[in-house]
Amino acid sequence: MIDIALVAALLYQIYKLLKGSVAIKIFLGFLSIYLIYLLVRAVRMELLSSILGQFMGVGVIAAIIIFAPEIRKFLLLVGRSSFLSNDNIWKDILFFWRKKENSAFNISPIIDASKTLAGSNTGALMVISSSSELKFYAESGDILDAELSKRLLISIFNKYSPLHDGAVIIHNGRIKAARCILPVTEREVPAQFGLRHRAGIGMSEATDALILVISEETGQVSMMKNGKVLHNLSFQEVREILNDYLNNEDLDDRFESLSEYDLSKKKKLAMTSKS
Ligand SMILES: Nc1ncnc2c1ncn2[C@@H]1O[C@H](COP(=O)(O)OP(=O)(O)OP(=O)(O)O)[C@@H](O)[C@H]1O
């Protein structure tokens, strides 16, 4: 019984750590195959269980290679005394069946700060996550865990601030971290998108977060979700998208895929050159 409880707690912690990243899909894939393997073995289906057994053997080595960075970070977290002494972990384990709290929070500081940042052509990169703290990415920067405020966001992205380089991660009304390094997309992106936008698109491909980018060059606001983009948004649109995202509404249809984005740009260009 204690054995089962410990395994359940461990699996839950791994799930929490990976939540929001692509690694979780691979992890759940492995877990499902392992459960099928146990089931097949229990009902003594010899051939299938030997095939799945072979796969599991190779799978463990493959998992170690695929999850190398995650395993390193996980061990680092385990090693930190704060990880085990953190009350939240025990609360999470004890009350894991509780319904997820509504992720909505007051987004006005994000909108107000974006207005000021865009108005002064200050570049910014914000990751807003409704489902998780995105610990992996937060750990790549400086942990703040500060209450979300317009003044704080403006200070972070001020060109002279030591925190301005990289992204902030916002979750549950708190700025979890600043100066975070995000994965850059490997897909081809429109020529006017530089590194900041590429990182925004990359992060939206790797996680279920919503990304907000303010261009230093033009002051224009873009958002990214699931590898798709929306460019040159008004602040009213930003507010609506943010609200809908935090209320778990499906935003996929509203965003443009990178190929659509190129096409719509070309159409606009053709129309303006005709007129
Ligand atoms: N992988 C990354 N993760 C987080 N932030 C990044 C990453 N790559 C670049 N950045 C941020 O983007 C800034 C560089 O942006 P760059 O000027 O290349 O982007 P851009 O998309 O052309 O945007 P802009 O329109 O603002 O010039 C860096 O100073 C850094 O703050």
Side-chain angles (χ1 to χ4, degrees), residues 16-242:
K16 242 189 79 182
L17 204 73
L18 297 179
K19 200 163 78 173
S21 73
V22 259
I24 188 66
K25 289 176 188 147
I26 304 171
F27 173 71
L28 289 177
F30 272 127
L31 197 64
S32 334
I33 293 175
Y34 184 62
L35 291 178
I36 294 171
Y37 168 66
L38 289 182
L39 192 79
V40 164
R41 213 176 53 171
V43 293
R44 295 184 190 284
M45 292 169 84
E46 299 297 337
L47 187 61
L48 202 53
S49 76
S50 74
I51 293 171
L52 286 177
Q54 295 280 342
F55 182 80
M56 287 313 301
V58 183
V60 170
I61 299 167
I64 292 173
I65 297 167
I66 294 168
F67 290 126
E70 281 81 6
I71 292 172
R72 208 172 52 212
K73 283 193 178 172
F74 180 68
L75 291 177
L76 264 173
L77 275 178
V78 173
R80 270 189 214 147
S81 55
S82 61
F83 174 68
L84 289 173
S85 62
N86 187 348
D87 278 354
N88 286 335
I89 285 176
W90 304 114
K91 269 190 218 151
D92 280 349
I93 292 171
L94 292 173
F95 303 114
F96 68 90
W97 63 84
R98 272 193 192 167
K99 221 174 155 251
K100 209 176 132 234
E101 284 165 31
N102 189 350
S103 57
F105 54 86
N106 178 18
I107 56 164
S108 294
I110 301 179
I111 308 293
D112 295 344
S114 301
K115 282 181 190 166
T116 308
L117 292 166
S120 58
N121 278 36
T122 307
L125 179 53
M126 304 181 205
V127 177
I128 300 109
S129 168
S130 63
S131 65
S132 80
E133 297 175 24
L134 298 173
K135 270 193 185 160
F136 278 149
Y137 299 102
E139 291 275 328
S140 69
D142 294 343
I143 303 289
L144 300 180
D145 199 17
E147 196 170 321
L148 179 63
S149 83
K150 172 189 172 184
R151 273 197 296 270
L152 186 53
L153 281 176
I154 292 172
S155 316
I156 289 173
F157 288 113
N158 181 309
K159 282 171 202 148
Y160 302 104
S161 155
L163 291 177
H164 85 278
D165 225 3
V168 297
I169 294 180
I170 299 168
H171 172 68
N172 223 357
R174 299 190 74 78
I175 302 179
K176 290 288 168 187
R179 237 171 55 81
C180 302
I181 301 165
L182 309 183
V184 175
T185 183
E186 282 168 19
R187 286 188 300 157
E188 260 196 49
V189 297
Q192 75 270 30
F193 284 173
L195 259 186
R196 199 190 314 271
H197 290 80
R198 291 182 71 102
I201 297 168
M203 185 66 172
S204 76
E205 287 166 351
T207 67
D208 56 5
L210 179 68
I211 324 293
L212 188 154
V213 178
I214 298 170
S215 166
E216 190 175 351
E217 227 170 286
T218 61
Q220 287 174 341
V221 184
S222 311
M223 291 182 112
M224 290 95 186
K225 178 90 178 71
N226 285 340
K228 293 176 160 188
V229 286
L230 274 178
H231 195 48
N232 201 6
L233 292 161
S234 71
F235 292 105
Q236 183 54 33
E237 287 170 315
V238 173
R239 183 181 284 281
E240 281 168 17
I241 292 169
L242 253 171

